[in-house]
Amino acid sequence: MKYKCPACGYQPNKQDALVETRLMFNKYSKDIKKHLKEIIKVVNKNSYSGQIPIEYKYRFLYGLSVIDETAIRSTIQVWNSRQYGKQGKGLQYFIAIARSTQETGVAQLKAEQLMRGSNPPDFNKPKKEKDKSKYDKYNKAYNNLKETRHPPKF
């Protein structure tokens, strides 16, 4: 079965797909590469009996190419904790979880901050000094009040 893009009609042969898969795979950091290899290995063993087509790996990495690394890391944690690979879930399921994690990341962060609170302030940082220019008018009036007995004019 050859993969054909429905929009442009691009059809990679196996050698081109293998080269492009390696190029896409090399852009990830070492820890993500290690986990993705394990995920592909488990899915290959449980779903494809050790004969996963290279086009499926290509589609998997192509689907992950638009997702940032933080979403991929959190998806790897979810995948490994629930053992989706051993349940027969495919690589497309992993991509769907990663996309969902990336899309809902901002809302999820806000919800977690509301539930658990925000981080405490960092006491090692020096405090910013307040801008005193907006108080100059009042300070001048206060100093004039000390010198004279008349009320200040604001």
Side-chain angles (χ1 to χ4, degrees):
M1 177 179 152
K2 284 197 164 197
Y3 171 71
K4 182 176 180 180
C5 178
C8 65
Y10 173 70
Q11 233 177 352
N13 60 15
K14 289 188 178 184
Q15 291 301 324
D16 291 342
L18 183 64
V19 171
E20 290 176 11
T21 302
R22 286 184 183 157
L23 290 175
M24 283 190 282
F25 191 70
N26 287 335
K27 79 171 193 166
Y28 295 112
S29 60
K30 287 183 180 181
D31 60 332
I32 292 180
K33 283 183 191 178
K34 179 183 134 193
H35 289 292
L36 289 179
K37 281 182 185 178
E38 290 175 9
I39 289 170
I40 291 172
K41 198 180 294 183
V42 169
V43 169
N44 188 16
K45 177 184 170 189
N46 292 323
S47 298
Y48 297 101
S49 301
Q51 298 177 353
I52 187 170
I54 191 67
E55 288 90 2
Y56 289 0
K57 293 179 188 177
Y58 173 75
R59 285 188 225 169
F60 173 64
L61 290 173
Y62 185 76
L64 287 180
S65 65
V66 295
I67 299 169
D68 61 344
E69 289 194 0
T70 56
I72 293 174
R73 281 190 176 95
S74 62
T75 305
I76 288 171
Q77 290 174 349
V78 169
W79 184 273
N80 289 337
S81 67
R82 297 187 182 162
Q83 297 182 348
Y84 284 136
K86 294 180 181 177
Q87 294 176 12
K89 307 286 187 190
L91 298 174
Q92 295 299 321
Y93 194 76
F94 183 90
I95 294 171
I97 295 172
R99 279 192 189 138
S100 174
T101 303
Q102 183 175 356
E103 289 172 1
T104 62
V106 175
Q108 185 176 2
L109 182 63
K110 284 183 184 178
E112 286 176 359
Q113 285 178 346
L114 288 174
M115 281 181 8
R116 299 186 180 110
S118 60
N119 292 337
D122 189 9
F123 293 114
N124 295 333
K125 289 184 180 179
K127 289 186 178 181
K128 294 180 182 177
E129 294 187 25
K130 293 182 180 178
D131 185 22
K132 296 182 179 180
S133 63
K134 62 181 179 181
Y135 299 113
D136 286 341
K137 180 179 174 183
Y138 299 107
N139 289 337
K140 287 179 185 177
Y142 181 70
N143 291 335
N144 287 340
L145 182 61
K146 286 183 184 176
E147 295 171 2
T148 62
R149 295 179 185 244
H150 300 293
K153 294 181 181 178
F154 292 104

